[in-house]
Amino acid sequence: MENYEAFLGFDLCKVPLSSAAQKIMSAVHSGDSVESKNWRESEKTAEVVNNSRIKYSVLLENGKNQSLEKRNLNSSTSQTSGSSIKLCPPSSSIRLTDQPSADQNQKNVSSLAPPSCFIPQRNPEASVLQKTESKRTHFLKENKNNEKREMPVNLKRKHGACHFSGKTNKHVALEENADEVEAHLNCGNARACENHFCDVRYLDDLEKSQLVEMLKQAVAVVVTLMYEDGSTQLRAEQALFPSVKGIAVLLQSRVDSSGPLDVSASDSVLGEGSTLRDQYIYLQTEHSSTGGQEQEAYNQFARKVLFQMLKCKCPVVCFNAKDFVRTVLQFFGKDGSWKHVVHFIGLDPRIAAWLIDPGDAAPSFEDLVAKYLESSISVKVNCTYGNSSRNVVNQNVRVNLKILHKLMTGLCSQLKVYGLWQLFCTLELPLIPVLAVMESHSFQVNREEMERTSALLGSRLKELEQEAHFVAGEQFLITSNNQLQEILFGKLKLHLLSPRETLPRTGLQRLPSTSESVLSAVQDLHPLPKIILEYRRVHKTKSAFVDGLLACMRKGSISSTWNQTGTVTGRLSARHPNIQGISKHPIQITKPQNVKGTEGTMLTISPRSMFVAPEGHTFLAADFSQIELRILAHLSGDPELLKLFQESERNDVFSILTSQWKDITPECVTRADREQTKKVVYSAVYGAGKERLAACLGVTVQEAARFLESFLQKYKKIKDFVQTTIAQCHQTGYVASITGRRRPLPRVRAQDRQLRAQAERQAVNFVVQGSAADLCKIAMIHVFTAVAASPTLTARLVAQIHDELLFEVEDSQIPEFAALVRGTMESLQNVPALELQLQVPLKVSLSAGHTWGHLVPLQEAPRPSDQPTSC
DNA sequence: CGGCTAAGTCTAAGG
DNA sequence: TCCTTAGACTTA
């Protein structure tokens, strides 16, 4: 079977993008003799494992067939056909929690080594897997017993003695108030701390240093945020602004029998000179008001623990790790620079699951457990103080932390099966702190000005509405497309008067839609369409970019939430507000009558200008120019297209293309021309029909067809690329980007021609758009880490608009930072570590300004060829 | 009858 | 019958 990388003609071995990722990778791979550094070999391994998985899944198949197409009917179905994704528990995970395995590699238990669960399973024998299964059930029984044992009579006490790390100390259950300490009777038991949360607040100095030591030696750390009501990040529905109370931690450490952290042999798990031990720790992050000196001392220690966690050499598992990082940043407060978190790697099962199945947008912890773990495990996530006792809640959290670890273990081996492991470790995980830092930033916006603008737009809308009613000859709901359709085409019959017969129609009725293209087509026949078009523009601006923004405001500033797993292509998305969708172009409105001042009749409203850099700072935007077209040139290897980029590295390729097909000189191409060309080129590449193209260009269908023909004729290999991609998709049922990101498209084999054709277009689009998204995300990480490595630079990444990175830079640092950004981003043409070498140069254009709406191109390093255009 | 949800439409972004 | 997002709105 030909894989996509072979098809591309280069090896796609991925290597860490950051040193921390490197650490994780080496940690994860240590003790793993077979895991290959070579892509093809690891692919082979994956296939073997894959076979075993399929065999095994047949054994376990319980007939459940989840349909996970909640989000987007157009997108892929969540599972590849035939084989269930439900995975077998990796044999190695058993060792962790239950018994030693005969083939355990000693290296696995060195202090740097990862938990054995992170070594990919590779035993294809079903019989072995069955054995594994029996061990697993044994473990589950054992675990149940533990749980029974751990629920003793609960008595209130002031400070009960128990063991922590083998020393006598206070044991404290997870508590709300410092003065009311709940302790358990079983404190003499050496296992006590494995059965309860140790609240860091009540540790003495010795215990504190032991804790830090244990963190350093930990084999695995599993964390989850705890909220006010006792729920955690694992619960299904998150409150809008949950208030975080603390962090629950499962610390899995290796204990040598001979080591300093010796514990009684009775709790030995492995029994072979070393044991794995679970300890549960609770770290309060909510600042209590009573505090004073004691509180300050605690905070200091808590910070130390968190710092230790951030630079943990072992895997840190967290569901929605970004929220954890943001909480940590918050806790650090003023004295913690965002640079502290750059190298944090948190294994996030949601991201892992998304890589495996990007069509499954936001599965809850529960969903993932159901999908990726055996059905015998069920989780209770909605256990809160409101509906359960404190003890039950805490026990529930502990159990869930264990399950979370197991889930991540399983997902890791799945990632390897699909060849997504490197992508996960070197791209997606390092991105988490970057996004957390972006979310910790907020934009200042001028509320008064926005409110004035809102009122202004409101008046203008009223005027437009009245005009519309007047010219329509009746009152109607101007925002209702149905009513509008009835008036335009039912009453006025504009579609019959239209010179163009082929107005796009809404499927069910015979009448055309009220979309922009239709209204533009008939705008000369009647005044109404123009009024509607303006109304819609103004309305959009008001509701989304002014009122919508105001609604997102917290304390005079706004901050988006970034979603790493919200798209099928690997792009990021943003919400509240969707900063990626804020209009670039200002709109002009005629000044409403009731507004005072008569200087001018027109007003300009520029949504992006609402974003203002703080005093002494400037926004700097770095754009990848024509990123997708360059990717396409690289992927297709089309000589003409390549030449275009290689020769005219400093020219605007879209202008050249425009001049070529419109037969004018490049200097005379207007911005609108250029935008049109852009649209046309991408439409053509991604498979638009000639009709659609004609509508887009505003020309006849024949002309559009002629253009399509000549374009694909001139750049012949584009067609080859499209065909090869589709063929590959048919063969394997999925497509992959340059980093190996996958998009399953089972519908490519559908009976329905329409569905099939759609999947084929999606396949082509994904390979290019997804690859561009990969590059943009790599750029974010690289620039981010480069700034963090600089002792002087303070530039901060504040937003990503797909191909554009927006930074807030101290005025004095602009030249230095501009050079760094350009250098870093353009150097991504070659990422030797990724064995990624594009055949085209990457071009970055920089612009800067005090508001986001007024960015002017930054003077590049002077070049002789630079000259202003004269048109 | 008013709130609620789900689906459809439209427009902003990005390529 | 270019693709992929978020968001606001209507309709049923």
Side-chain angles (χ1 to χ4, degrees), chain A residues 190-479:
Chain A
R191 298 187 66 109
C193 293
E194 295 180 45
N195 292 338
H196 298 279
F197 279 101
C198 290
D199 191 321
V200 172
R201 279 178 296 178
Y202 308 115
L203 300 180
D204 65 29
D205 289 348
L206 179 60
E207 292 155 358
K208 283 180 179 172
S209 60
Q210 282 175 342
L211 173 58
V212 173
E213 200 51 41
M214 276 169 53
L215 262 173
K216 283 182 188 161
Q217 310 241 327
V219 166
V221 176
V222 188
V223 300
T224 190
L225 298 179
M226 288 207 67
Y227 302 118
E228 218 157 24
D229 61 352
S231 68
T232 67
Q233 284 177 295
L234 304 175
R235 80 168 159 196
E237 74 284 341
Q238 295 290 327
L240 228 56
F241 297 102
S243 87
V244 177
K245 211 181 74 172
I247 301 169
V249 184
L250 161 58
L251 212 124
Q252 205 159 55
S253 48
R254 187 184 55 85
V255 186
D256 274 335
S257 308
S258 52
L261 295 174
D262 191 17
V263 288
S264 69
S266 65
D267 80 336
S268 164
V269 183
L270 297 176
E272 282 182 7
S274 68
T275 62
L276 282 177
R277 195 176 52 177
D278 294 342
Q279 285 190 291
Y280 297 94
I281 290 144
Y282 177 71
L283 201 78
Q284 194 188 43
T285 57
E286 181 189 51
H287 292 89
S288 84
S289 48
T290 55
Q293 209 174 349
E294 218 171 292
Q295 176 75 28
E296 196 33 57
Y298 167 75
N299 285 348
Q300 221 168 359
F301 178 66
R303 264 179 229 127
K304 192 173 171 187
V305 171
L306 289 173
F307 269 122
Q308 196 57 52
M309 256 196 250
L310 289 180
K311 59 177 187 185
C312 225
K313 291 183 184 109
C314 73
V316 177
V317 178
C318 182
F319 188 79
N320 287 344
K322 186 190 65 185
D323 295 339
F324 168 72
V325 179
R326 212 184 43 239
T327 303
V328 171
L329 277 169
Q330 238 163 49
F331 187 73
F332 285 170
K334 295 192 290 290
D335 50 312
S337 156
W338 57 266
K339 293 189 178 185
H340 288 134
V341 303
V342 268
H343 290 119
F344 175 72
I345 298 289
L347 299 184
D348 190 328
R350 179 175 265 177
I351 293 173
W354 169 70
L355 283 181
I356 293 167
D357 181 6
D360 195 1
S364 66
F365 173 62
E366 236 172 326
D367 296 336
L368 292 182
V369 170
K371 189 170 172 184
Y372 292 98
L373 288 180
E374 32 327 348
S375 46
S376 56
I377 295 182
S378 68
V379 290
K380 268 195 298 183
V381 289
N382 287 323
C383 190
T384 64
Y385 295 146
N387 58 28
S388 309
S389 79
R390 199 150 291 252
N391 259 336
V392 172
V393 169
N394 294 347
Q395 184 207 351
N396 192 254
V397 173
R398 289 193 301 278
V399 170
N400 283 345
L401 284 174
K402 284 294 274 188
I403 297 175
L404 176 58
H405 183 265
K406 209 177 165 83
L407 174 66
M408 195 62 236
T409 302
L411 281 164
C412 284
S413 43
Q414 280 305 96
L415 287 171
K416 285 169 188 159
V417 167
Y418 289 114
L420 293 165
W421 178 243
Q422 305 273 0
L423 174 62
F424 183 61
C425 289
T426 63
L427 207 166
E428 299 300 343
L429 296 189
L431 191 64
I432 293 172
V434 181
L435 297 184
V437 169
M438 276 185 3
E439 287 188 6
S440 309
H441 173 271
S442 55
F443 289 96
Q444 293 294 325
V445 289
N446 186 338
R447 178 186 275 274
E448 285 78 39
E449 195 192 323
M450 298 247 297
E451 278 164 353
R452 271 201 306 278
T453 309
S454 178
L456 198 75
L457 293 173
S459 327
R460 180 64 189 144
L461 284 178
K462 275 213 178 70
E463 287 183 357
L464 285 168
E465 188 173 10
Q466 281 170 5
E467 285 177 43
H469 290 167
F470 178 73
V471 300
E474 65 180 290
Q475 301 262 318
F476 68 103
L477 188 52
I478 195 162
T479 51

